[in-house]
Amino acid sequence: MDNILKRIAEQRQREEKLAWEGSFEEYLGMVRDRPELAQTAHSRVYNMIAGAGVEKDEQGNKEYRFFSRELFGLDRSIERLVEEYFHSAARRLDVRKRILLLMGPVSGGKSTIVTMLKRGLENYSRTDAGAVYGIKGCPMQEEPLHLIPHSMRPDVEKELGVRIEGNLCPSCRMMLKEEYGGRIEDVVIKRILFSEDDRVGIGTFSPSDPKSQDIADLTGSIDFATITEYGSESDPRAYRFDGELNKANRGLMEFQEMLKCDEKFLWNLLSLTQEGNFKAGRFALISADELIIAHTNESEYKSFIANKKNEALQSRIIVMPVPYNLKVSEEEKIYEKLIRQSDLGHIHIAPHALKAAATFSILTRLKDSKKQGMDLVKKMRLYDGKSVEGYKETDVEDLRNEHLDEGMSGIDPRYVINRISSALIRTEANYINALDILRSIKDGLDQHPSINKDERECYLNFISIARKEYDELAKKEVQKAFVYSYEESAKTLMDNYLDNVEAYCNWTKIRDPLTGEELEPDEKLMRSIEEQIGISENAKKAFREEILIRISAFARKGKRFNYNSHDRLREAIQKKLFTDLKDVVKITTSTKTPDENQLKKINEVIVTLVDKHGYTTASANELLRYVGSLLNR
């Protein structure tokens, strides 16, 4: 308890240390030393994202760490969003005069992107790099450089190395005149800390009943209680500058369900986006520097653009598609994240269970390809970075370009996580496996409101495919566990294979260790291993030479080529050994009353599954029974 209270006190002290007040003269000196203090809202957002770090993969695709903590499988969409919008807007290109509209299916990550930007700006404004300063007492936390008269700005901009855009708001204009007697240098400047809760630099506008909702929610309103005191509706002191556009100045405003909004609210955005100002009350245009970000689904957007009355606003919108994730491995991470946030973390989810659910989800989102020999399973594997015989990395880009709207439909993560939750709640055991989840997904299809009969049949087929994929994984898992128990046998088999490969490639013979007799390389042995991973008769020579080259490369570096040095060869050895052991596995896993030797082997395999592969004893036993039934079919 004391530790918690201590940390709360430390947090309060950190916030207090961030507080700063000074004169306009002091602020000018700070801007001269650090021109980035006067950056635009768009530039601030971009620098926040870029400052968190960027990683590139082998294909040159960028992953922005700012988003990678929470969003999975949206790397391409995020890269486009950052490069085409935020980066360009930060350079003051014309896209900064556009509303950013994220368009995609439900539960696709749009709201998460906006929430991350909001939370990110709150934290960024508390760092040195993201420090923001405004005029003290301004309801719009205004940029202090707006105090500089227009006639002086060209010279000041050149001296400070900044651009000054915008005018003083009515409130600051009156404050400068009444409180400071026009003495700009005396105006007090303070550091601004963005906060959505305090409505500073971050705003959220959500449309409601158009009959009751007033434009004041966006632009502020007259304070009728003070009209008699100040005598005029055009007196800034009689006006509340508390609309979302006012409060989001210098930062970001989220426009929820923008396309469902009444037209009178949308027209207010026209001058804001194009000219950087908006109309409020009986005042001149009010300057605002903020990022407007909205989100919608595809059907609403199509209805919006079909309406000719919306053409003016359409030209001021940049649409960024945010489709569903199309990678199985990333979909698994989404489910893991959502489960971690629940109160069901104590129930064990067996390995590959979430992968089975992810396989189903991704299959529902993919579209058929016209490429010869390409089916949805191959496509799914290629998208996930797996190798598929006969296809290259260049084929993946061709596949993506076939259907530009791929990922805009299909089963959403919320449905799947709801079905996983149902399986977790209903289980009487302390674990669930892939079959439990797939069964729960199947049961839920009848209750899904938007799935018609044809889609249901298609989805049932995808559940069958996901189960087949899981069956192969389950067999491999048990295979690895059994092979681990026979690890010495695996290493001996590999050494034997390498001896034969070396003799084959060097046109030499092998000496029998017992008789000393010189023998031809054992072609039957080599082929029995190579065939396990699909090496054809025509490709065997190249594969063997590749192995020999790899051995030589290891030798040059002073390393020893071993069982784990070549992934495909290790897989071939495991499969060969498992094929030889298959009868043992069948007997061991299906015998109701195993003998002492079989029981010992079962226990060894269960220990391996628990220690090496992440199972519990109960889920490992269930896996062995299931694989035994598969092998006995």
Side-chain angles (χ1 to χ4, degrees):
M1 185 69 71
D2 290 341
N3 190 34
I4 294 172
L5 295 174
K6 182 182 177 183
R7 293 206 302 271
I8 290 172
E10 288 171 352
Q11 171 67 20
R12 184 173 58 251
Q13 288 168 6
R14 282 195 294 271
E15 290 277 309
E16 290 170 354
K17 283 181 181 177
L18 291 174
W20 179 90
E21 283 189 13
S23 67
F24 180 65
E25 181 182 356
E26 289 177 277
Y27 178 69
L28 281 179
M30 291 162 63
V31 173
R32 182 183 290 109
D33 296 335
R34 294 177 57 203
E36 66 272 16
L37 290 177
Q39 64 188 327
T40 63
H42 289 82
S43 178
R44 187 173 294 110
V45 172
Y46 173 72
N47 289 332
M48 170 186 72
I49 295 168
V54 187
E55 292 180 354
K56 280 188 179 182
D57 62 18
E58 294 175 357
Q59 287 75 45
N61 300 315
K62 293 180 179 178
E63 180 187 274
Y64 289 88
R65 289 181 191 161
F66 179 85
F67 293 104
S68 62
R69 295 172 287 122
E70 294 286 333
L71 293 169
F72 306 102
L74 295 181
D75 295 349
R76 291 167 63 83
S77 299
I78 294 295
E79 182 177 354
R80 184 181 172 193
L81 173 65
V82 175
E83 293 300 319
E84 293 185 20
Y85 184 78
F86 290 128
H87 194 184
S88 300
R91 297 292 182 89
R92 296 180 185 268
L93 293 173
D94 212 45
V95 295
R96 75 189 175 107
K97 299 177 180 179
R98 306 287 184 272
I99 298 166
L100 174 62
L101 179 64
L102 304 179
M103 189 264 290
V106 295
S107 189
K110 305 183 298 295
S111 298
T112 304
I113 290 173
V114 179
T115 300
M116 290 188 73
L117 290 172
K118 286 178 175 181
R119 298 293 85 78
L121 276 174
E122 287 181 339
N123 294 327
Y124 191 59
S125 70
R126 287 160 171 76
T127 65
D128 289 340
V132 186
Y133 295 86
I135 297 172
K136 185 179 181 181
C138 174
M140 294 178 60
Q141 55 275 344
E142 186 157 8
E143 165 60 61
L145 294 181
H146 289 179
L147 290 162
I148 295 172
H150 281 270
S151 59
M152 293 177 58
R153 287 186 182 181
D155 292 335
V156 173
E157 287 177 343
K158 197 176 293 184
E159 185 176 342
L160 297 180
V162 298
R163 289 271 297 278
I164 306 172
E165 297 176 342
N167 302 313
L168 283 176
C169 73
S171 178
C172 288
R173 191 181 296 276
M174 173 164 278
M175 185 172 25
L176 177 62
K177 181 180 178 182
E178 298 291 331
E179 293 184 28
Y180 294 101
R183 291 181 58 81
I184 293 171
E185 61 271 30
D186 293 340
V187 174
V188 177
I189 310 301
K190 63 177 286 189
R191 183 166 180 177
I192 306 298
L193 301 179
F194 286 169
S195 168
E196 184 175 19
D197 292 339
D198 295 333
R199 299 184 73 220
V200 177
I202 297 173
T204 302
F205 182 79
S206 183
S208 58
D209 182 3
K211 293 178 182 177
S212 60
Q213 192 165 30
D214 192 85
I215 196 69
D217 291 349
L218 267 184
T219 60
S221 60
I222 297 167
D223 185 354
F224 289 102
T226 59
I227 289 289
T228 53
E229 182 182 350
Y230 298 115
S232 171
E233 290 183 13
S234 60
D235 190 308
R237 292 169 296 183
Y239 196 86
R240 296 193 189 100
F241 294 90
D242 60 356
E244 294 305 320
L245 293 180
N246 307 103
K247 293 302 180 181
N249 188 36
R250 312 289 301 284
L252 175 154
M253 190 192 87
E254 177 187 9
F255 209 128
Q256 294 180 345
E257 304 295 346
M258 185 181 85
L259 303 187
K260 291 179 181 175
C261 198
D262 189 80
E263 290 178 1
K264 66 182 178 183
F265 295 97
L266 299 181
W267 299 132
N268 245 283
L269 302 179
L270 290 177
S271 65
L272 175 62
T273 52
Q274 193 62 38
E275 308 298 335
N277 50 48
F278 63 90
K279 191 76 173 74
R282 296 180 180 179
F283 302 110
L285 292 170
I286 298 174
S287 298
D289 169 33
E290 56 197 85
L291 163 65
I292 308 292
I293 184 166
H295 39 91
T296 188
N297 59 47
E298 195 172 12
S299 60
E300 284 178 359
Y301 179 69
K302 286 179 178 177
S303 300
F304 174 75
I305 60 176
N307 188 344
K308 293 293 182 184
K309 291 197 299 183
N310 295 327
E311 285 182 351
L313 194 59
Q314 284 176 42
S315 66
R316 288 167 170 82
I317 291 175
I318 282 191
V319 180
M320 284 289 168
V322 184
Y324 285 133
N325 157 58
L326 296 177
K327 294 181 179 179
V328 171
S329 56
E330 297 296 305
E331 190 76 6
E332 279 187 87
K333 293 176 184 176
I334 295 172
Y335 302 154
E336 286 168 357
K337 168 191 158 187
L338 294 173
I339 290 167
R340 276 198 308 272
Q341 294 170 352
S342 74
D343 292 330
L344 294 168
H346 62 286
I347 298 177
H348 174 68
I349 299 177
H352 309 304
L354 296 182
K355 187 167 190 174
T359 298
F360 164 75
S361 297
I362 301 302
L363 287 171
T364 69
R365 300 170 190 171
L366 298 178
K367 293 181 181 282
D368 289 314
S369 171
K370 295 176 183 176
K371 274 184 177 286
Q372 190 172 4
M374 177 60 63
D375 59 30
L376 290 184
V377 174
K378 288 179 182 176
K379 190 178 191 180
M380 175 184 71
R381 288 173 181 162
L382 285 169
Y383 276 7
D384 205 28
K386 304 289 190 295
S387 59
V388 175
E389 192 173 356
Y391 297 96
K392 302 174 184 175
E393 287 178 5
T394 52
D395 294 313
V396 177
E397 199 59 39
D398 293 340
L399 288 170
R400 288 196 175 110
N401 291 332
E402 270 189 311
H403 303 284
L404 297 179
D405 62 340
E406 192 168 50
M408 286 294 183
S409 60
I411 289 290
D412 65 278
R414 283 181 192 149
Y415 169 77
V416 175
I417 206 66
N418 288 345
R419 300 316 304 165
I420 293 172
S421 300
S422 177
L424 287 166
I425 291 291
R426 289 187 302 183
T427 184
E428 294 179 1
N430 60 355
Y431 70 92
I432 61 169
N433 58 29
L435 300 182
D436 296 321
I437 291 177
L438 292 176
R439 195 180 301 114
S440 182
I441 290 172
K442 182 180 178 181
D443 293 342
L445 291 179
D446 292 330
Q447 305 162 22
H448 202 295
S450 62
I451 294 177
N452 58 41
K453 185 179 178 182
D454 290 340
E455 285 175 328
R456 186 178 183 278
E457 290 302 313
C458 185
Y459 289 171
L460 286 174
N461 180 48
F462 290 149
I463 289 174
S464 297
I465 294 172
R467 177 170 177 171
K468 287 176 185 174
E469 292 288 301
Y470 170 70
D471 287 352
E472 290 304 310
L473 284 171
K475 284 189 278 189
K476 282 183 182 176
E477 200 83 295
V478 173
Q479 165 191 313
K480 286 179 186 175
F482 266 89
V483 169
Y484 183 81
S485 301
Y486 289 89
E487 192 166 7
E488 288 306 315
S489 303
K491 290 177 179 176
T492 301
L493 182 60
M494 188 168 193
D495 288 339
N496 198 359
Y497 173 78
L498 294 177
D499 288 341
N500 280 278
V501 163
E502 193 171 357
Y504 170 85
C505 292
N506 294 330
W507 298 83
T508 58
K509 293 186 178 183
I510 291 178
R511 186 178 296 277
D512 189 299
L514 295 176
T515 64
E517 181 184 0
E518 288 193 335
L519 304 170
E520 293 292 332
D522 190 341
E523 184 66 22
K524 187 177 179 181
L525 171 72
M526 289 187 288
R527 291 302 296 139
S528 69
I529 291 170
E530 292 156 357
E531 285 169 353
Q532 300 295 330
I533 52 172
I535 304 295
S536 65
E537 183 70 25
N538 292 332
K540 69 180 184 182
K541 185 172 184 292
F543 181 75
R544 292 170 188 176
E545 288 174 345
E546 179 202 330
I547 295 294
L548 208 60
I549 290 169
R550 183 76 67 91
I551 292 171
S552 300
F554 269 70
R556 283 198 304 274
K557 295 175 183 176
K559 297 179 181 178
R560 187 176 182 278
F561 187 90
N562 60 34
Y563 181 62
N564 294 308
S565 299
H566 195 286
D567 291 339
R568 292 193 72 204
L569 181 55
R570 183 177 68 247
E571 182 187 354
I573 294 291
Q574 287 177 348
K575 284 185 173 180
K576 165 63 177 165
L577 193 56
F578 190 64
T579 302
D580 296 342
L581 292 170
K582 192 169 284 187
D583 289 337
V584 178
V585 177
K586 279 185 185 180
I587 295 168
T588 307
T589 56
S590 60
T591 302
K592 291 182 180 178
T593 54
D595 61 31
E596 187 179 341
N597 189 48
Q598 289 168 343
L599 194 59
K600 181 183 177 186
K601 187 54 64 182
I602 287 175
N603 289 333
E604 284 179 3
V605 171
I606 287 173
V607 168
T608 302
L609 288 169
V610 172
D611 293 347
K612 304 287 184 184
H613 301 285
Y615 289 83
T616 61
T617 303
S619 61
N621 266 302
E622 179 67 29
L623 177 72
L624 281 179
R625 284 194 294 270
Y626 181 65
V627 171
S629 70
L630 289 176
L631 295 174
N632 279 302
R633 284 176 188 174

